[in-house]
């Protein structure tokens, strides 16, 4: 059988390369070691401890490896701005609030979400042996980034899980179905089944047609967005990512018309109205603010059947899906999570592509934390793939 490559993974909404001036320089590829060293230097400059630096840098690196550059090290400039504004707190300690039965509530106190979410999940999962299920409401967290990472974390411990995340702290950026202005945010949802400690399959998606970060990536690369992703300030379709990426003007569309819009609305309600104290309608709008609330459901499959039986049925069903005849123009049916695994393999070998604009933005924020531009840049440039 022919080996699958990433080109088989037709993403829902790929960007369209259109040269638009000086930003359009070809990205260079960097090794994962150099990307992690580069990100780690910047995070330590922000004031993160070695432990937190490792957790956050590993998360961002893996987002780049899985092909989600929107949630990789390109987030560092925004994190730096938030630290400077006092809206993101390095080395924060979470507050563990009430636990009622299987339900845990954790206030991240605006700590780095990548670490806060893992601490909160550890706390919640202590309930699983007694209740066979745990429900976590993580509130007031810094950006948790790639939500699939938390499905992977639960699957590694043998649990099925679902995570719904709303985004407050900035004005809404996604137009609900039927509206010409924004009312919700990109509200991602992720779920996975555990098979031998791996999350397979793993669905991890924004409920907007594309994540906001993909608009930033397109803008930095000088690319246009494909049709169907963006509305301008008048509610008319646009392909230009810059007003949204640079000034948050206009709206992203919800995926799947009224159905995706309805799902995004319920993610907002589960994570914001039920699990936390704010929806995007009520949370103050911070200058560079992104606060995530995450509502997680973690299930022990052995409450239903043996671990092996559930994993076996999951595996068999996935093989059934993969055996379906590919659609015209598609070489193979992929499962959710497969494009990310293929990308991980490919980028581990060939390196992670980073464009000049993104690198410059990261170096610029590092300098504002009194790091030496040449030193930080050198960590990346020394090991091109
Ligand atoms: P996407 O559209 O690239 O992928 C969505 C899902 O579709 C994934 O599970 C992927 O495996 C699957 N998929 C993609 N191509 C496929 C194919 N050809 N066949 C079968 N399945 C396929 O992802 P997205 O919606 O742009 O989201 C990107 C990331 O942004 C996610 O990791 C998400 O968690 C993250 N995000 C985070 C926040 C936040 O505030 N923390 C907000 C929004 C999005």
């Amino acid at each position: 059988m022919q080996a699958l490559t990433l080109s088989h993974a037709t993403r829902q909404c790929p960007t369209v390369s259109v040269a638009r001036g000086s930003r359009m320089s070809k990205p260079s590829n960097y090794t994962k070691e150099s990307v992690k060293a580069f990100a780690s230097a910047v995070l330590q400059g922000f004031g993160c401890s070695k432990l937190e630096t490792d957790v956050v840098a590993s998360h961002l690196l893996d987002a780049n490896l899985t092909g989600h550059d929107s949630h990789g090290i390109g987030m560092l400039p925004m994190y730096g701005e938030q630290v400077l504004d006092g809206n993101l707190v390095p080395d924060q300690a979470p507050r563990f609030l009430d636990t009622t039965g299987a339900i845990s509530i954790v206030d991240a106190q605006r700590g780095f979400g990548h670490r806060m979410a893992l601490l909160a999940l550890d706390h919640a999962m202590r309930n699983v042996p007694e209740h066979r299920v745990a429900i976590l409401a993580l509130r007031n967290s810094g950006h948790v980034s790639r939500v699939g990472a938390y499905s992977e974390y639960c699957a590694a411990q043998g649990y099925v899980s679902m995570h719904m995340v709303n985004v407050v702290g900035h004005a809404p950026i996604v137009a609900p179905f039927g509206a010409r202005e924004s009312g919700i945010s990109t509200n991602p949802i992720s779920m996975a089944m555990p098979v031998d400690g791996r999350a397979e399959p793993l669905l991890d998606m924004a409920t907007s047609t594309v994540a906001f970060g993909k608009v930033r990536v397109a803008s930095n690369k000088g690319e246009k967005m494909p049709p169907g992703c963006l509305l301008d300030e008048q509610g008319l379709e646009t392909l230009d990512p810059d007003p949204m990426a640079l000034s948050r003007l206009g709206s992203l569309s919800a995926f799947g018309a009224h159905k995706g819009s309805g799902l995004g609305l319920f993610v907002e309600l589960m994570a914001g109205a039920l699990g936390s104290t704010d929806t995007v309608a009520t949370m103050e709008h911070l200058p560079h603010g992104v606060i995530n609330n995450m509502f997680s459901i973690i299930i022990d499959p052995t409450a239903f059947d043996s671990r092996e039986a559930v994993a076996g049925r999951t595996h068999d069903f996935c093989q059934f899906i993969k055996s379906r005849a590919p659609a015209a123009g598609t070489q193979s049916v992929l499962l959710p999570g497969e494009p990310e695994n293929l990308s991980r393999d490919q980028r581990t070998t060939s390196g992670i592509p980073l464009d000049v604009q993104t690198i410059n933005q990261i170096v610029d924020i590092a300098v504002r934390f009194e790091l030496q531009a040449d030193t930080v840049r050198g960590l990346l440039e020394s090991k091109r793939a």
Side-chain angles (χ1 to χ4, degrees), residues 115-138:
R115 185 173 139 260
M116 294 293 119
L118 297 185
L119 291 173
L121 285 168
D122 285 344
H123 177 73
M125 282 192 280
R126 292 188 318 185
N127 278 320
V128 178
E130 184 182 354
H131 300 282
R132 304 299 190 88
V133 67
I135 295 178
L136 166 69
L138 174 68

Side-chain angles (χ1 to χ4, degrees), residues 71-92:
H71 289 72
I73 67 166
M75 296 304 301
L76 288 169
M78 185 188 82
Y79 296 162
E81 296 285 3
Q82 292 175 338
V83 172
L84 289 170
D85 289 342
N87 294 319
L88 180 61
V89 185
D91 273 344
Q92 182 59 288

Side-chain angles (χ1 to χ4, degrees), residues 146-222:
R146 185 182 155 256
V147 183
Y150 309 111
S151 298
E152 287 166 347
Y153 192 68
C154 295
Q157 310 198 35
Y159 299 139
V160 177
S161 68
M162 178 192 288
H163 311 267
M164 288 166 263
V165 176
N166 80 333
V167 192
V168 300
H170 65 66
I173 54 172
V174 177
F177 185 70
R180 69 177 191 197
E181 61 178 350
S182 301
I184 50 178
S185 200
T186 51
N187 295 2
I189 183 166
S190 173
M191 55 188 104
M193 298 292 285
V195 175
D196 295 333
R198 296 184 307 279
E200 285 183 0
L202 163 59
L203 178 69
D204 176 22
M205 50 171 260
T207 50
S208 48
T209 310
V210 290
F212 169 77
K214 290 192 172 148
V215 184
R216 186 198 76 233
V217 171
S219 171
N220 278 354
K221 289 182 172 174

Side-chain angles (χ1 to χ4, degrees), residues 8-13 66 68 70-71 143-149 165-167 186-190 202-212 214 290-292 330 332-340:
H8 295 90
T10 317
R11 292 293 174 90
Q12 189 182 18
C13 209
T66 53
H68 291 296
S70 55
H71 289 72
H143 190 237
V144 298
S145 201
R146 185 182 155 256
V147 183
V165 176
N166 80 333
V167 192
T186 51
N187 295 2
I189 183 166
S190 173
L202 163 59
L203 178 69
D204 176 22
M205 50 171 260
T207 50
S208 48
T209 310
V210 290
F212 169 77
K214 290 192 172 148
V290 173
I291 306 289
N292 279 156
T330 306
S332 167
V333 178
L334 298 180
L335 295 166
E338 261 193 291
E340 285 77 5

